[in-house]
């Protein structure tokens, strides 16, 4: 296997490219800054964003660094089916969220976060569980995106990995701090247009520069039988199925997705998410082909780091001008998601920590905005520190998704079933996380009775995943039927088999355990919840009487 000589920009050239990108992005963000800053505008743009901006923002947010690097790593590790497993399942999960999104918006038209709906449904305990999981997940996402920036800069320039991480962090923070969510969605639109335009040119260019079909066909002699099989069971069990389960959790648990759901006009939710599904799938499957081409060409990852596959392919097979465009393409993709993470984190702190808990029903808009911006600064620093460890992007993606898997059923059930209680929600999440941790880190030997127990719980998790998808699109009866059939099929095939695939076993165990516990504890209570109360309890901060009183007092003091 060969390790191609890298093309490298000079330090000055890379700094100019980064300055032009982040400087231009900051300049764009100044167009949406408001003299009289609105709390709701800073968090969700007041829920009136149109179709074009929303679809582009959803696509750009979902196409993050992991979409580039993870898809390429999947193609490199698993061969022919790798890019499809990454891109298709990720796209399907964008589509999956919209029927549930319609329900969330119907219950709480003025919501800012999904955790805020859980607060109205159950109280602070469930809200804080969801909020804290999002804080953790978004910081990990920041780390992943900054890691990608460091890998790109270190390969394509004399600058160090740490320098690339630092520049990306400061650049993203500079424009997001200015106008919050409004800046994020506006820049997303420009970034997704650029990403699609550049990707359409770069992928075929690499293909033909590498020798086209003749060179790639020759590569089938050096790969394994599983890598050459489009229906590879190894790829399905180690990549496809775990990623499918993980991104389902991302679709429900990730505040960056929920934030766009609450920002888009309610009548535009369906076309927005369908468009984003198509846009994501087409771009990411194409990007994953770069990893497959690297495998077939016998390219060895530089220094053994799979995160280097994409910059290596660009460096080896693109001319300098195209490498510059590729550089902007990746920086744009990771920045579009990093600014979404910062906006999501600020919304969680402003709404779930301060607005609905610490403020005691009397939130101050100036304090909320200050807290939101301070959160962005602290989160950026945390992301930069974690990124310095240069962890494997694909591993982190699946791990965080599995952790979020424990909250999927309790959240969805809470919005449809009036018997779900706060205790059921909390114990379901705790139980799912505990059992997931035991399996994922093999704290107990996965043999004998223990192995059979976890496989049974995972079978329940498999049935739940299928049931939720069917329920979202086709209703309760179809969902229950599909779930029951899925459980029986999984119980039969998983027995004595799935324990050898701990990533998938752990992910499905989180789903199964949380569902079983949530249903069991909920059935112990006879209380029934009135869903109309959610709309009464989840209000717009800008319309609250308390907020109006605060602003009136500010005006009085100003004129005194």
């Amino acid at each position: 296997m060969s390790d191609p000589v890298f093309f490298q920009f000079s330090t000055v050239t890379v700094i100019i490219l980064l300055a032009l990108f982040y400087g231009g992005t900051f300049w764009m963000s100044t167009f949406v800054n408001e003299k009289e800053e609105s709390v709701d505008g800073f968090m969700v743009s007041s829920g009136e964003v149109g179709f074009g901006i929303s679809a582009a923002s959803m696509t750009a947010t979902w196409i993050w660094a992991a979409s580039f690097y993870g898809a390429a790593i999947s193609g490199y590790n698993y061969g022919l089916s790798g890019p499809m497993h990454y891109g298709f399942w990720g796209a399907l999960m964008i589509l999956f969220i919209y029927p549930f999104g319609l329900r969330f918006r119907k219950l709480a038209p003025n919501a800012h976060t999904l955790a805020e709906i859980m607060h109205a449904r159950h109280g602070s305990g469930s809200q804080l569980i969801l909020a804290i999981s999002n804080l953790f997940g978004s910081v990990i996402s920041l780390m992943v995106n900054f890691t990608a920036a460091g890998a790109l800069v270190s390969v394509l320039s004399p600058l160090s990995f740490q320098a690339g991480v630092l520049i990306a962090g400061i650049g993203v923070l500079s424009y997001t701090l200015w106008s919050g969510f409004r800046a994020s969605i506006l820049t997303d639109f420009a970034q997704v247009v650029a990403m699609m335009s550049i990707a359409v040119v770069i992928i075929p260019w690499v293909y033909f520069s590498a020798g086209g079909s003749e060179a790639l066909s020759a590569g089938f002699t050096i790969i394994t039988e599983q890598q050459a099989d489009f229906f590879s069971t190894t790829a399905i069990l180690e990549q496809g199925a775990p990623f499918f389960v993980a991104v389902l959790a991302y679709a429900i648990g990730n505040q960056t997705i929920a934030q766009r759901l609450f920002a888009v006009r309610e009548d535009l939710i369906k076309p927005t998410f369908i468009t984003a599904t198509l846009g994501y799938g087409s771009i990411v499957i194409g990007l994953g082909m770069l990893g497959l081409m690297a495998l077939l060409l016998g390219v060895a990852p530089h220094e053994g780091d799979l995160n280097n596959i994409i910059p290596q392919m660009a460096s080896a097979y693109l001319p300098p001008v195209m490498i510059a465009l590729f550089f902007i393409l990746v920086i744009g993709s990771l920045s579009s998601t990093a600014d979404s993470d910062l906006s999501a984190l600020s919304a969680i702190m402003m709404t779930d920590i301060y607005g609905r808990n610490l403020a005691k029903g009397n939130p101050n808009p100036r304090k909320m905005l200050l807290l939101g911006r301070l959160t962005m600064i602290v989160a950026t620093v945390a992301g930069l520190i974690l990124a310095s460890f240069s962890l494997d992007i694909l591993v982190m993606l699946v791990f965080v998704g599995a952790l979020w898997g424990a909250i999927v059923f309790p959240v969805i059930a809470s919005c449809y079933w009036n018997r779900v209680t706060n205790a059921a929600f909390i114990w379901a999440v705790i139980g799912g996380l505990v059992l997931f941790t035991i399996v994922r880190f093999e704290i107990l030997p996965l043999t004998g009775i223990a192995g059979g127990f976890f496989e049974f719980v995972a079978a329940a998790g498999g049935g739940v995943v299928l049931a939720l998808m069917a329920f979202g699109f086709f209703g309760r009866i179809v969902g229950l039927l599909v779930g029951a059939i899925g459980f029986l099929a999984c119980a039969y095939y998983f027995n004595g088999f799935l324990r050898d695939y701990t990533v998938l076993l752990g992910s499905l165990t989180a789903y199964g355990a949380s569902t079983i516990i949530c249903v069991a504890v909920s059935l112990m209570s006879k209380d029934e919840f009135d869903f109309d109360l959610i709309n009464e309890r989840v209000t717009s901060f800008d319309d609250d009487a308390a907020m109006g009183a605060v602003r009136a007092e500010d005006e009085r003091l100003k004129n005194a």
Side-chain angles (χ1 to χ4, degrees), residues 19 27 140 146 219 231 233 415 556:
W27 176 74
I140 293 295
F146 293 157
F231 300 99
T233 55
C415 293
R556 186 189 68 79

Side-chain angles (χ1 to χ4, degrees), residues 34 38-51 54 105 108-112 181-182 185 258-269 272 540-543:
E34 296 181 353
S38 158
V39 172
D40 288 314
F42 189 84
M43 288 192 285
V44 291
S45 199
S46 302
E48 292 295 330
V49 181
F51 168 72
S54 296
R105 284 293 291 270
N110 296 311
H112 309 85
F181 181 75
R182 287 192 308 273
I185 59 173
Q259 200 164 16
R260 279 146 185 79
L261 176 65
F262 295 131
V264 64
R265 267 176 37 199
E266 191 170 353
D267 60 311
L268 297 176
I269 290 176
T272 292
S540 166
F541 286 112
D542 287 333
D543 292 338

Side-chain angles (χ1 to χ4, degrees), residues 409-410 413 417 419-420 424-425 428 513-525:
F409 182 84
W417 187 23
R419 294 279 297 276
V420 180
F425 188 104
S514 65
T515 301
I516 293 170
I517 295 170
C518 184
V519 171
V521 177
S522 295
L523 290 175
M524 294 170 63
S525 171

